[in-house]
């Protein structure tokens, strides 16, 4: 019966088409789940080695620019004790004298640093993630007990921290802190709580950061707070 065979053939085609549609739906769902995992912003999944290295390069470049700006100011006659770290957002930013202001065009002309969003760990509070610069404590290995000028990229991801140290020291090992990054590397102007602590580094004593000894630039871990910070001694006294 030709008509019956034709009807059977068409029904078979319809059945196969339905199977193909179901397979397509399953594959689309699997693809959506895969893409969802790839765009997850967790520490483990969102940052490739190449991106971590790129962000490490950016952070190192900004620290280099900051040191150059501060060095230029001191070479031009600004005393270290007169360096002014007032932010552009401050109401008195354009109030004279402006020559000693690191971020002012009349002074150091340094652009205010912004951490790449993807490089931020995002666990720190009071203060949050960002670049911080100031003269508020002493780093033990420097020449005297005077206050040094310190810059830190605070609350970055571990993978970026490792990439920074690989470039700076040849090893991705991260020194551990026995005191908080916040209280040793960020001016207490930016947070409430205990005042700043001098950064002890002498490995023969009981230092806060033995791995920081004679390191003017390195990324460290604050194990208690679960944060990482890339600190730089811009001017040592």
């Amino acid at each position: 019966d030709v008509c019956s065979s034709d009807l059977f053939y068409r029904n078979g085609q319809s059945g196969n088409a339905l199977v193909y549609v179901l397979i397509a739906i399953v594959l689309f769902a699997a693809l959506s789940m895969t893409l969802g995992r790839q765009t997850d912003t967790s520490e483990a999944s969102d940052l490739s080695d190449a991106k971590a290295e790129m962000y490490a390069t950016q952070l190192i470049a900004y620290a280099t620019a900051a040191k150059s700006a501060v060095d230029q100011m001191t070479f031009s006659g600004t005393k270290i004790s007169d360096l002014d770290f007032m932010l552009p957002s401050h109401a008195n930013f354009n109030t004279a004298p402006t020559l000693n202001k690191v971020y002012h065009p009349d002074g150091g002309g340094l652009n205010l640093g912004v951490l790449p969003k993807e490089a931020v760990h995002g666990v720190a509070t009071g203060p949050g993630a960002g670049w911080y610069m100031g003269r508020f404590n002493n780093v033990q290995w420097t020449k005297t007990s005077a206050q040094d000028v310190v810059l830190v990229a605070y609350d970055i991801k571990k993978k970026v921290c490792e990439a920074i140290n690989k470039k700076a020291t040849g090893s991705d090992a991260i020194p551990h802190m026995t005191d908080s990054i916040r209280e040793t590397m960020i001016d207490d102007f930016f947070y409430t709580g205990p005042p700043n602590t001098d950064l002890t580094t002498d490995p023969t004593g009981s230092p806060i950061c033995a791995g920081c000894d004679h390191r003017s630039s390195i990324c460290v871990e604050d194990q208690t707070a679960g944060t990482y910070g890339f600190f730089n001694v811009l001017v040592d006294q």
Side-chain angles (χ1 to χ4, degrees):
D1 187 344
V2 175
C3 291
S4 298
S5 299
D6 186 51
L7 180 61
F8 176 78
Y9 176 70
R10 290 177 182 177
N11 287 339
Q13 279 188 320
S14 299
N16 289 339
L18 180 60
V19 171
Y20 294 146
V21 169
L22 291 173
I23 291 174
I25 291 172
V26 171
L27 291 175
F28 179 77
L31 178 60
S32 298
M33 290 178 65
T34 301
L35 290 174
R37 292 193 198 101
Q38 288 177 344
T39 55
D40 183 3
T41 56
S42 67
E43 176 76 18
S45 63
D46 71 333
L47 208 59
S48 66
D49 291 342
K51 278 192 173 183
E53 185 172 351
M54 177 184 72
Y55 292 135
T57 299
Q58 289 181 13
L59 268 58
I60 291 171
Y62 182 77
T64 301
K67 179 167 176 53
S68 177
V70 172
D71 283 347
Q72 181 180 351
M73 293 178 71
T74 57
F75 292 157
S76 298
T78 299
K79 295 180 180 178
I80 297 172
S81 57
D82 289 336
L83 288 169
D84 190 334
F85 306 99
M86 185 181 292
L87 300 177
S89 57
H90 196 285
N92 295 325
F93 182 67
N94 289 314
T95 302
T98 54
L99 285 175
N100 295 336
K101 295 177 179 176
V102 175
Y103 296 105
H104 200 281
D106 295 343
L110 179 67
N111 291 325
L112 190 63
V114 177
L115 294 179
K117 186 176 180 181
E118 236 184 341
V120 171
H121 191 190
V123 300
T125 57
W131 283 103
Y132 297 93
M133 187 195 302
R135 186 189 59 257
F136 48 84
N137 73 348
N138 174 255
V139 179
Q140 187 178 17
W141 62 260
T142 58
K143 297 186 288 289
T144 72
S145 60
Q147 292 181 334
D148 303 300
V149 178
V150 175
L151 170 75
V152 63
Y154 183 51
D155 194 22
I156 61 176
K157 289 183 176 175
K158 180 180 180 181
K159 206 165 186 178
V160 177
C161 192
E162 290 174 333
I164 288 171
N165 285 354
K166 184 70 174 178
K167 290 177 177 293
T169 70
S171 169
D172 62 5
I174 303 175
H176 301 309
M177 304 270 295
T178 62
D179 202 347
S180 86
I181 291 175
R182 185 187 76 168
E183 288 158 24
T184 53
M185 299 179 187
I186 298 176
D187 192 338
D188 60 11
F189 169 83
F190 293 103
Y191 63 87
T192 57
N196 291 122
T197 304
D198 288 343
L199 181 59
T200 55
T201 61
D202 185 355
T204 62
S206 299
I208 291 173
C209 183
C212 303
D213 196 41
H214 289 85
R215 293 285 188 186
S216 60
S217 181
I218 198 168
C219 193
V220 296
E221 178 186 10
D222 176 347
Q223 290 179 302
T224 302
T227 54
Y228 298 87
F230 170 43
F231 91 90
N232 298 263
V233 181
L234 301 186
V235 179
D236 61 277
Q237 296 196 81

